[in-house]
Amino acid sequence: MASLEPLDSEYDVIVVGGALSGAATATLLLRQNPGIRVLIVEKSEKFGRKVGEATVEVSGYFLGRTLGLMQYLNEKHLCKQGLRFWFANERVESIDQASEIGPRYLARLPSYQVDRAELDEEVLRRAVDAGAVLLRPATVSSIRLNSGGMQEVEVKTGEGRRELRARWVVDASGLASLLARKEGWWKSNNDHPTASAWARWRNVKDWDGRELIDKFPEWAAAHCGTRGTATNHVIGDGWWSWWIPLKGGDVSVGVVFDQRLVNFPQEGSVGDRLRAFLECHPVAKELLEHAEYVSEDVHWRRNLAYQSEVFAGDGFALVGDAAAFMDPFYSPGMDWISFTAFRTADLITRQRAGEDGAMLAEKHNEDFKLSLTRWFDALYRDKYHYLGEYDLLDLAFQMDLGFYYWGVVREVFAHQDRGFLTAPFTHPAAGPVAAIMRIYNRRFAAIAARRRRLGQLGRMNDRQRHLIPGFTPAPGEIKKMIPLFFAWARLELAEGWKSWGREAGEPIKQEELTAP
Ligand SMILES: Cc1cc2nc3c(=O)[nH]c(=O)nc-3n(C[C@H](O)[C@H](O)[C@H](O)COP(=O)(O)OP(=O)(O)OC[C@H]3O[C@@H](n4cnc5c(N)ncnc54)[C@H](O)[C@@H]3O)c2cc1C
């Protein structure tokens, strides 16, 4: 796909990277600014499959309604049925004995399991239909920023190099994070040393199919919805894996682990190591029995978490992974794309309408910095210490989900697209919520650290099943969180007080990280 229009040397906006975050930003800009000249420069000739395949409620809204892809998503991708979690301990020999957490019924709000090779192509095609000029394959080799002036962009194509100029550059280059790395803003999050290995697989067993129904009839009957189109998480101490089905039958399966807690196998190909690691868990072993990974589609990445220290200035902005990546647990990547793309389009639109660019950028930076800091502290800091514990994750998942519905999902559904102008955790009421979330997440981490020291991890990881009724964006739903706070209090009285010396906010000590 390439635009047929001849290339000018000057544009209003040049977008670096035409995948989801770049093409979405271009679409919003074109919608809000009739006649704006937008050039998208995309390196690849064709998008391949990538991670980022599960939407959640907010990214589902953004894709379905804001970008208008609902019918396309329903036709070409899979409707997602929430998140499910599977645990094990030494007493678990088969899938029916594994503890399970998941929704009781099918999802109430739309979300999807998407094949990104297909989806990103479609979003880009629509951006071009809306008027963007596409240069592809072409690589942006350098960007010279001029605050308040014209940005200079050097582009390499098969025909050589070209100097282009634009009033704004939007960096949507993903992990390459072109601007942040070049300007020295890129920072790895060393408090969160996660790594990941993943692949697309064929012949993974059908969670809802006859083979498992015949083998484990009571297990199959225990849930009356469908398990297979959820994002299933097979979980262990310090790690989790995602099982995301794609339209057509392939399944995306990958592991994310905290490098402080998990020794990933060192020998052999990444695909074989991934299989060997997963097969230690009885649920994964069952599902992979006849499966093989697609050998040309196996990937590995270390130190996943990073962010840019700057998100915008007078003449540029960073969106999606080019701006930051935190953690894939709960699939927030496309939520982040939704907020950064929407705010960036709004920033440029308002500056074009005469507002002060420097002031808009200052607010943009302030909001996204605050958002990321609170988001990480509230949700992910030290989470891998306890996510392998059925009872702790059960409680944390419900509380995290309740606050997500109350603070983020409700905001978007109540204000429609304008909900994307308030980055997560930046609403005036978000400070106390972030503080409460940080406290319970750190408390659960401390409780798990103590269990690990005593060799007591995983006591409830067999033969438990919690099928959760779930939340809706209705304002009264916050009441459903009251029993969860009582459950937390009971946990503290029964066991938590024994780790009170290791208070919330205190970093986990090194000796807590190693098993006894
Ligand atoms: C292990 C893991 C699991 C994940 N799971 C999920 C999930 O379930 N759900 C979710 O929402 N998110 C998930 N994510 C996050 C998600 O993958 C990303 O947030 C998302 O893909 C980022 O999209 P993007 O458009 O910002 O960047 P990308 O998709 O990386 O696109 C960047 C584009 O820029 C182009 N480009 C790069 N450099 C140049 C250049 N110099 N010139 C021109 N073009 C260039 C590239 O070719 C590419 O097309 C996961 C991430 C990881 C690491």
Side-chain angles (χ1 to χ4, degrees):
M1 176 181 30
S3 168
L4 298 176
E5 289 180 43
L7 199 62
D8 292 333
S9 57
E10 239 179 68
Y11 289 87
D12 295 309
V13 184
I14 294 180
V15 180
V16 186
L20 181 56
S21 62
T25 311
T27 302
L28 295 169
L29 277 168
L30 288 154
R31 188 184 297 165
Q32 293 165 14
N33 301 272
I36 193 173
R37 294 165 308 149
V38 177
L39 173 72
I40 301 174
V41 184
E42 170 50 47
K43 187 160 76 173
S44 66
E45 216 157 316
K46 191 173 180 299
F47 294 125
R49 279 181 164 169
K50 60 177 103 162
V51 277
E53 296 151 312
T55 77
V56 282
E57 287 80 344
V58 166
S59 47
Y61 184 102
F62 182 74
L63 294 177
R65 299 198 187 196
T66 307
L67 296 184
L69 295 166
M70 191 87 85
Q71 186 180 0
Y72 161 79
L73 289 164
N74 283 323
E75 284 172 7
K76 304 285 185 192
H77 300 270
L78 296 175
C79 287
K80 174 177 155 181
Q81 299 302 335
L83 312 177
R84 309 196 82 79
F85 305 93
W86 300 90
F87 302 80
N89 57 22
E90 65 290 349
R91 294 186 292 273
V92 175
E93 286 172 0
S94 51
I95 196 168
D96 57 329
Q97 296 166 354
S99 288
E100 174 185 7
I101 302 167
R104 179 171 292 277
Y105 300 111
L106 300 185
R108 291 169 164 128
L109 301 183
S111 60
Y112 301 90
Q113 311 287 25
V114 296
D115 186 333
R116 287 287 299 274
E118 300 286 332
L119 174 72
D120 289 31
E121 248 8 293
E122 178 70 14
V123 179
L124 182 56
R125 188 184 65 71
R126 291 186 185 213
V128 172
D129 285 351
V133 178
L134 175 63
L135 189 58
R136 183 185 198 188
T139 305
V140 170
S141 44
S142 83
I143 303 169
R144 281 178 299 285
L145 295 177
N146 296 306
S147 182
M150 293 297 281
Q151 320 309 311
E152 295 165 35
V153 177
E154 187 186 77
V155 177
K156 229 169 42 184
T157 66
E159 285 139 37
R161 287 173 194 273
R162 283 198 65 164
E163 283 289 340
L164 304 175
R165 284 154 50 89
R167 179 63 186 86
W168 292 272
V169 170
V170 173
D171 184 359
S173 62
L175 186 64
S177 212
L178 220 59
L179 269 180
R181 290 181 202 262
K182 174 180 164 277
E183 300 292 331
W185 304 326
W186 193 93
K187 270 186 91 169
S188 175
N189 180 349
N190 298 329
D191 289 338
H192 199 55
T194 49
S196 181
W198 68 90
R200 252 60 53 169
W201 298 66
R202 306 229 160 98
N203 302 320
V204 174
K205 262 181 213 173
D206 178 359
W207 294 80
D208 305 301
R210 273 321 306 183
E211 183 175 348
L212 291 182
I213 294 175
D214 292 340
K215 216 165 155 185
F216 307 109
E218 283 176 23
W219 169 85
H223 178 240
C224 52
T226 154
R227 287 172 166 131
T229 47
T231 298
N232 280 283
H233 298 67
V234 174
I235 294 199
D237 180 25
W239 66 272
W240 61 279
S241 60
W242 72 81
W243 299 65
I244 296 179
L246 301 175
K247 187 116 181 175
D250 288 359
V251 181
S252 171
V253 182
V255 168
V256 185
F257 58 93
D258 187 322
Q259 296 167 88
R260 296 170 298 183
L261 296 171
V262 170
N263 286 320
F264 198 70
Q266 300 293 318
E267 304 292 324
S269 70
V270 175
D272 288 349
R273 286 190 272 156
L274 178 58
R275 177 190 276 280
F277 184 84
L278 284 167
E279 284 185 344
C280 294
H281 196 295
V283 173
K285 192 172 167 62
E286 177 73 51
L287 288 154
L288 291 181
E289 190 184 7
H290 317 301
E292 67 278 351
Y293 58 80
V294 179
S295 53
E296 58 276 17
D297 193 8
V298 179
H299 310 265
W300 165 255
R301 197 185 295 170
R302 251 185 212 291
N303 303 329
L304 302 178
Y306 62 86
Q307 73 175 75
S308 173
E309 286 177 326
V310 175
F311 301 98
D314 187 348
F316 70 90
L318 283 58
V319 294
D321 277 14
F325 181 75
M326 209 180 308
D327 192 294
F329 193 64
Y330 294 153
S331 303
M334 286 184 273
D335 279 15
W336 175 247
I337 289 177
S338 316
F339 287 100
T340 51
F342 202 90
R343 273 288 290 268
T344 292
D346 182 69
L347 175 110
I348 294 173
T349 303
R350 286 167 65 181
Q351 195 178 356
R352 278 169 57 85
E355 289 190 46
D356 184 314
M359 279 175 62
L360 288 169
E362 194 180 318
K363 176 82 175 111
H364 191 98
N365 284 322
E366 209 175 89
D367 282 357
F368 282 112
K369 248 184 226 169
L370 181 66
S371 175
L372 284 179
T373 305
R374 285 182 172 166
W375 197 338
F376 176 65
D377 279 339
L379 209 54
Y380 292 120
R381 188 184 284 278
D382 292 330
K383 200 173 203 86
Y384 286 59
H385 289 277
Y386 75 83
L387 51 67
E389 293 292 276
Y390 167 83
D391 58 330
L392 299 179
L393 192 71
D394 186 30
L395 199 46
F397 171 54
Q398 293 176 79
M399 293 166 93
D400 294 345
L401 188 66
F403 280 126
Y404 177 60
Y405 263 77
W406 187 61
V408 191
V409 176
R410 197 169 59 93
E411 191 69 13
V412 167
F413 278 80
H415 302 290
Q416 295 93 46
D417 293 348
R418 297 199 65 73
F420 290 111
L421 293 175
T422 310
F425 293 106
T426 61
H427 188 278
V433 172
I436 294 167
M437 293 181 72
R438 190 178 67 229
I439 292 170
Y440 70 71
N441 270 300
R442 298 301 292 278
R443 288 297 308 131
F444 298 161
I447 292 170
R450 181 174 171 278
R451 290 182 188 176
R452 186 175 294 108
R453 272 203 323 283
L454 298 177
Q456 293 177 350
L457 283 174
R459 284 172 304 179
M460 308 217 11
N461 287 2
D462 63 300
R463 297 172 176 81
Q464 309 290 322
R465 176 163 295 113
H466 188 190
L467 301 179
I468 298 168
F471 292 89
T472 76
E477 290 280 287
I478 192 72
K479 281 195 297 233
K480 286 188 179 166
M481 297 196 64
I482 294 168
L484 303 176
F485 280 93
F486 279 110
W488 175 21
R490 279 197 301 277
L491 175 72
E492 292 291 357
L493 291 176
E495 177 187 359
W497 62 273
K498 294 173 189 162
S499 57
W500 279 352
R502 295 170 183 86
E503 263 303 346
E506 183 185 324
I508 297 292
K509 293 180 182 133
Q510 196 53 40
E511 64 266 24
E512 311 246 338
L513 303 180
T514 46

